[in-house]
Amino acid sequence: MPGVTSEHSGAYQELVDEISELLGAPATLENRDFELIAFGAYDSEGDLDPSALDPVRTRSILTRRSTAAVRAWFEGFGITRATGPVRIPPSTEAGVYRGRICLPVRHRGVVLGYVWLLDGDPGPGERQLAAAMRVAARIGALLADEAQHGADLTRELRAVLTAERDWQRDMAVAELRTALGARADALHTVVCVAPWPSADPDDAPSVRTVPGATALCTVPWDATALSLALLVRLRSADAPAPATTAAARLLERARGRAAAGGGTGGAAGAKGTGARDGVAAGVGAPRVGLTELGTAWREASAAARAALAEPRLGPVADWASIGPFRLLTALPPDAPQDPVVRPLLSPAHRELARTAEVYLDCAGQAGRTAAELGIHRQTLYYRLSRVEKLTGLDLDDGEDRLLLHMALKAHRL
């Protein structure tokens, strides 16, 4: 299935809101894999009360997908075969505290998704449900149209980003270009979200649930973790909003998955809050076409690493904004520490290393540094003298300062 463009995303939202208004109840739209596409809120007293929600609906909205157990439970009521509304009773054992109405979303006999509503007493009547099913049919036509004009490009994108040799990458790019057709020559950028809170390479959100996405896949991040790679189409190199918005949404999803116990990591919620929860995103420079897709991915990965190392850059960091980390992230991950600086980087001297880094960040201005650290100037001078004694470096020498500053920044990575 293709990615939901921002235009399609708005269309789905409008249709879901239309159903919510018709039935007087909040509706959610999921694809046939139970991944959330859109949800609406009906403005009526009580319907938006948090106590009216149950764990299944809350988790679906927060993580944008349901568990396999929940999926199996709902499918047990025949929703995959139904052609009309299906009423499902509540079940405290399944975490479904309120009954559901499921409207199967079909096109030409094929189920493509489901619209879910919380049932009430007495709930919507037959005429209301019939009108809602007509809207569900329009949703089905839209989903079918997307399926006809695009495909899940997970395999093709992963092949490009993981190719080890130039000729392998050239072949993978050619295959991806063929699959994209005319879209291949558009302006694109790449987003990296890392580490993704799952060790399963196939446990990733559907590209259809990320507005603006062209393709999505998981890629190894390190020996034990994965990252999420996203190919995003842009209208202008000066308007990166589709990429940063998609990155922020995926970070929210990662946070929700971790909070629900669905993964091993956490995520920051929105740009500007820092990567303190252990997940960050990076965005590469925009490029026309796919020829430099590998380079764009390295930039996005580097920006994500920088955001993880330096919270002020994230949680969504743009390649152009990471400054010296553009050089530092180009170093091999296993590059040895400089022998002169190595003693300072030991856990026993963490406070001295922090003092030296802040001092250098403040361009060697003692007043600013002392204020930043909340210490007296004499304490600062004492610590700096210990740094010089440990390393043998002269903090009045420009090259020594450069060596120490870069070594401290590289240590964060």
Side-chain angles (χ1 to χ4, degrees):
M1 302 284 287
V4 176
T5 65
S6 55
E7 178 183 359
H8 281 133
S9 178
Y12 288 127
Q13 189 63 59
E14 289 177 5
L15 292 169
V16 168
D17 289 342
E18 185 175 341
I19 290 178
S20 296
E21 289 292 334
L22 278 171
L23 302 184
T28 59
L29 170 63
E30 296 179 334
N31 65 15
R32 59 188 170 200
D33 294 322
F34 283 62
E35 295 173 322
L36 186 67
I37 297 175
F39 64 93
Y42 178 70
D43 189 13
S44 176
E45 185 178 354
D47 282 328
L48 300 182
D49 183 352
S51 65
L53 303 181
D54 57 24
V56 169
R57 188 171 193 268
T58 301
R59 186 185 192 282
S60 174
I61 293 174
L62 289 176
T63 67
R64 308 193 74 84
R65 69 187 303 163
S66 297
T67 66
V70 167
R71 174 177 176 173
W73 191 80
F74 279 124
E75 288 179 344
F77 289 90
I79 61 174
T80 60
R81 302 180 302 276
T83 57
V86 178
R87 275 193 157 94
I88 299 173
S91 169
T92 54
E93 293 81 3
V96 180
Y97 295 165
R98 291 186 58 179
R100 296 290 200 280
I101 298 176
C102 175
L103 307 180
V105 176
R106 291 181 172 272
H107 185 75
R108 295 183 178 177
V110 178
V111 64
L112 300 177
Y114 307 99
V115 173
W116 298 94
L117 302 108
L118 297 176
D119 203 358
D121 185 12
E126 294 302 318
R127 292 183 62 182
Q128 289 175 291
L129 289 172
M133 283 299 296
R134 288 193 289 272
V135 180
R138 288 156 56 196
I139 296 175
L142 186 59
L143 287 171
D145 180 67
E146 287 189 294
Q148 181 179 358
H149 291 90
D152 182 351
L153 303 174
T154 296
R155 182 183 64 83
E156 290 84 353
L157 180 61
R158 183 182 287 131
V160 173
L161 302 185
T162 58
E164 296 180 355
R165 300 181 183 277
D166 289 343
W167 65 268
Q168 292 174 323
R169 182 172 291 105
D170 291 343
M171 290 181 61
V173 167
E175 190 171 353
L176 180 59
R177 182 181 290 111
T178 299
L180 286 173
R183 293 180 294 163
D185 296 323
L187 184 70
H188 288 96
T189 190
V190 179
V191 172
C192 171
V193 179
W196 184 248
S198 174
D200 183 354
D202 297 320
D203 187 13
S206 167
V207 69
R208 292 196 309 108
T209 64
V210 184
T214 298
L216 181 152
C217 70
T218 54
V219 179
W221 179 248
D222 56 29
T224 60
L226 297 171
S227 60
L228 200 66
L230 189 69
L231 181 63
V232 181
R233 183 174 177 176
L234 301 178
R235 293 186 178 182
S236 167
D238 299 325
T244 55
T245 300
R249 176 169 293 190
L250 288 170
L251 286 175
E252 291 175 1
R253 193 171 304 184
R255 179 180 58 184
R257 287 170 57 85
T264 57
K271 191 170 183 178
T273 62
R276 58 181 177 270
D277 292 311
V279 179
V283 181
R287 288 173 170 81
V288 175
L290 307 176
T291 304
E292 296 182 81
L293 199 54
T295 301
W297 169 243
R298 288 191 292 273
E299 292 174 353
S301 301
R305 287 181 63 200
L308 288 168
E310 184 58 77
R312 66 179 175 80
L313 296 175
V316 180
D318 186 85
W319 162 254
S321 70
I322 62 175
F325 285 102
R326 290 197 295 271
L327 291 175
L328 293 172
T329 52
L331 297 174
D334 56 352
Q337 296 171 344
D338 187 276
V340 172
V341 182
R342 189 179 298 129
L344 182 63
L345 300 179
S346 68
H349 299 301
R350 184 177 291 111
E351 185 178 62
L352 289 181
R354 170 66 177 156
T355 298
E357 185 174 0
V358 173
Y359 175 70
L360 294 168
D361 285 346
C362 292
Q365 297 179 29
R368 283 179 57 199
T369 307
E372 178 77 18
L373 294 172
I375 60 177
H376 194 275
R377 281 199 187 201
Q378 289 305 121
T379 303
L380 172 64
Y381 293 141
Y382 170 71
R383 290 183 185 178
L384 294 177
S385 68
R386 290 189 62 196
V387 169
E388 290 182 321
K389 193 169 295 185
L390 265 175
T391 62
L393 297 174
D394 181 0
L395 292 182
D396 288 329
D397 182 86
E399 289 192 357
D400 282 3
R401 285 193 184 194
L402 177 62
L403 171 61
L404 180 58
H405 207 179
M406 299 299 274
L408 290 167
K409 296 296 185 186
H411 183 60
R412 288 180 176 272
L413 295 172

